[in-house]
Structures are given as structure tokens and as C-alpha cells.
Amino acid sequence: MLELKQIGLKFLSDEKESTILEGISLTFERGRIYALTGPNGSGKSSLARVIMGIHLPTTGQVIYKGEDITALGIAERARKGIGYAFQHPARFKGLRVTDMMEIAMRRSGNHECWPLLKIGLCPDEYLERPLDASLSGGESKRIEVATLLAQDPDLRIFDEPEAGIDLWSFEQLVEVIGSSHRPNGTTIIISHQEKILNMVDEIILLEDGTVTLRGSQAEIWPQIRESTRCSCRRDCPRGGMPHADCSR
Ligand SMILES: Nc1ncnc2c1ncn2[C@@H]1O[C@H](COP(=O)(O)OP(=O)(O)OP(=O)(O)O)[C@@H](O)[C@H]1O
Ligand SMILES: [Mg+2]
């Protein structure tokens, strides 16, 4: 379904170049669910943005269904069946939830209430609400997930779908994401949650912009716990403060 070949991503800020992703080569098969995990700042959302066409990679290629889509923009990729639920959903002044559902549903032809009901939001309460800052963080996040379900793309990427979701809705969310996965599609879930890591076919661990581990939950979970135990191994540049003792 998707192949990433030697993906590299660099950003330039204040004339300083920073490497965000380096040498990432991965394949994602049809019919499988993947989890992308790793410490904060390791590059998970950046990689999702490269797949969605929000960032063009500095090096490497993105191959989707056998076609090189590296140079294509977001809209073209969305038309080809790639969808991304943002970690931090955008607010759209002037747009209501019902408008968003209608736009998202163009491809799937589902009823506009369906994704809201799936994600546990009452349509009568939410359809007319504006997609602005009046929505709580959790409501906005749930509408973002509902939008991706409504789009029903072949390749779907959920970026920390559980963030801000209350405990009561979390179980439902995991169930909905799992059951919405189609045998001919591919699902990638960026997550730190053990329950989500438990439900996928394969886990990919990203650290410092590179893939350091890949395998089933049973194979790599113990190593993930070990490798993410100590995140900063450098001393304070102002002196007098050594980094945390990673051996404890
Ligand atoms: N536009 C940008 N310019 C400069 N640096 C950036 C930019 N976008 C992201 N970064 C940096 O790239 C690194 C990776 O960011 P990214 O958002 O991909 O991390 P992440 O793994 O998704 O983290 P989290 O678990 O916190 O969501 C971070 O150090 C971040 O500060
Ligand atoms: Mg992120």
C-alpha cells in the first residue's frame, strides 16, 4: 500500500538546520494496522505530515499503491485515498460540524450523523456547532476522528487519537478505530497508549527521527519500555547539572 524510501526531513530556522527525520525506509501492507510510537519530538507527526504531503521530504520517496507521489500536494493525496486526523485539529471559522461532515462524506456517501454517533457525540447537539474555539479540546479531537471515519480513506493515519479523550470514551474510541479498519485498507495509529499498541499488527518505534525498532507487540514491547526510559542523556549546557541517571 505505502512504501517510504530513505525519507529525510530537515527544517531551517534562524539559519540553523535541524534534522527531523533521517533514512526512514518502511513498508505498510494492505489489511494491516500499525502503531507508530516513540518519545515526544521523535518525529512521528512529521512523518505523518510527509505521508500526507504537508511537508515535502528533503530526501527520499513516497510510493503509494505503486505510484511515486513524493511531489504531490495534500489535495491530490486525499483524492487518492490518504487521510490524516491531526494531533492538534485546526479550527475553521465560519464552518459548522455539519459542513465538515458533508465535505468529508463526499467520497463515502454515508449519512452525516453516522460518524458522530460512532464517536459518541449526539448529532442534535453537535451538527450545528461551529468548528471554532468554543469546542472543548476533547470534543474537537473527537470531531477530527469522526471526520477521518467519514472520509473512509484507504490509508488512514490517526495522530494520537486518544489525546484529550476522557476515560469513558477511550474504550469506545479504540473499538471504533479497530472496527473501522478495512481488510483492503491500511491504518496507522500514532500513539503512546498501551491499549492501542496491544491492538495493532505491528509497532514501529521512532527515536530521534529514525526507526529503531519494528515488530509485533510481544517482540518489541519490553525493548520499547527500556529505550524510552531515559530521554535526555546530555548535561545542562550552563553547567552544574548533569543529565538524569539513566541506569535507575
Ligand atoms: N516547522 C518546524 N520547524 C522546526 N522544527 C520543527 C518543526 N516542526 C516540528 N519540528 C521539530 O521536529 C521534531 C519532531 O516533531 P514532531 O511533531 O514530529 O514530534 P512527535 O514525535 O510527533 O512528538 P509528540 O509525541 O510530542 O507529538 C521536534 O523536535 C519539533 O520541535
Ligand atoms: Mg506528534
Side-chain angles (χ1 to χ4, degrees), residues 83-88 141 144-145 148 156-160:
Y84 175 50
F86 282 81
Q87 180 174 2
H88 304 290
K141 194 74 191 173
E144 181 74 2
V145 171
L148 190 57
R156 56 192 72 194
I157 309 168
F158 296 93
D159 197 340
E160 298 198 26

Side-chain angles (χ1 to χ4, degrees), residues 40-41 43-46 84 87-88 159-160 190 192:
N40 295 135
K44 304 177 298 296
S45 298
S46 302
Y84 175 50
Q87 180 174 2
H88 304 290
D159 197 340
E160 298 198 26
I190 297 173
H192 305 281

Side-chain angles (χ1 to χ4, degrees), residues 50-214:
V50 165
I51 297 169
M52 194 63 233
I54 300 163
H55 297 321
L56 293 183
T58 318
T59 57
Q61 288 171 291
V62 181
I63 313 289
Y64 176 67
K65 294 183 180 173
E67 181 190 352
D68 188 339
I69 59 162
T70 315
L72 298 188
I74 306 167
E76 279 168 292
R77 294 189 198 201
R79 271 197 293 276
K80 287 182 182 291
I82 303 177
Y84 175 50
F86 282 81
Q87 180 174 2
H88 304 290
R91 318 278 181 156
F92 298 97
K93 217 173 171 193
L95 209 67
R96 295 164 305 162
V97 174
T98 184
D99 303 320
M100 183 57 105
M101 290 304 132
E102 201 184 309
I103 295 165
M105 219 80 80
R106 271 189 200 146
R107 192 166 178 265
S108 66
N110 275 319
H111 191 284
E112 64 176 346
C113 289
W114 171 84
L116 292 180
L117 288 168
K118 275 267 173 203
I119 211 70
L121 296 177
C122 292
D124 59 342
E125 202 180 318
Y126 285 95
L127 278 175
E128 295 301 322
R129 291 276 303 266
L131 274 170
D132 61 14
S134 67
L135 290 167
S136 77
E139 287 170 336
S140 160
K141 194 74 191 173
R142 281 155 77 157
I143 289 165
E144 181 74 2
V145 171
T147 305
L148 190 57
L149 295 177
Q151 286 167 348
D152 195 24
D154 295 339
L155 171 63
R156 56 192 72 194
I157 309 168
F158 296 93
D159 197 340
E160 298 198 26
E162 74 277 6
I165 302 276
D166 59 64
L167 268 180
W168 297 271
S169 312
F170 177 64
E171 298 278 329
Q172 185 186 7
L173 178 86
V174 173
E175 204 279 314
V176 164
I177 290 179
S179 63
S180 75
H181 170 74
R182 289 189 281 108
N184 60 347
T186 301
T187 302
I188 303 171
I189 312 169
I190 297 173
S191 179
H192 305 281
Q193 278 290 333
E194 196 166 352
K195 184 149 188 137
I196 289 183
L197 300 187
N198 278 339
M199 70 177 254
V200 303
D201 298 305
E202 206 171 323
I203 303 172
I204 296 159
L205 177 66
L206 214 61
E207 289 178 290
D208 277 339
T210 60
V211 175
T212 52
L213 277 175
R214 175 171 193 171

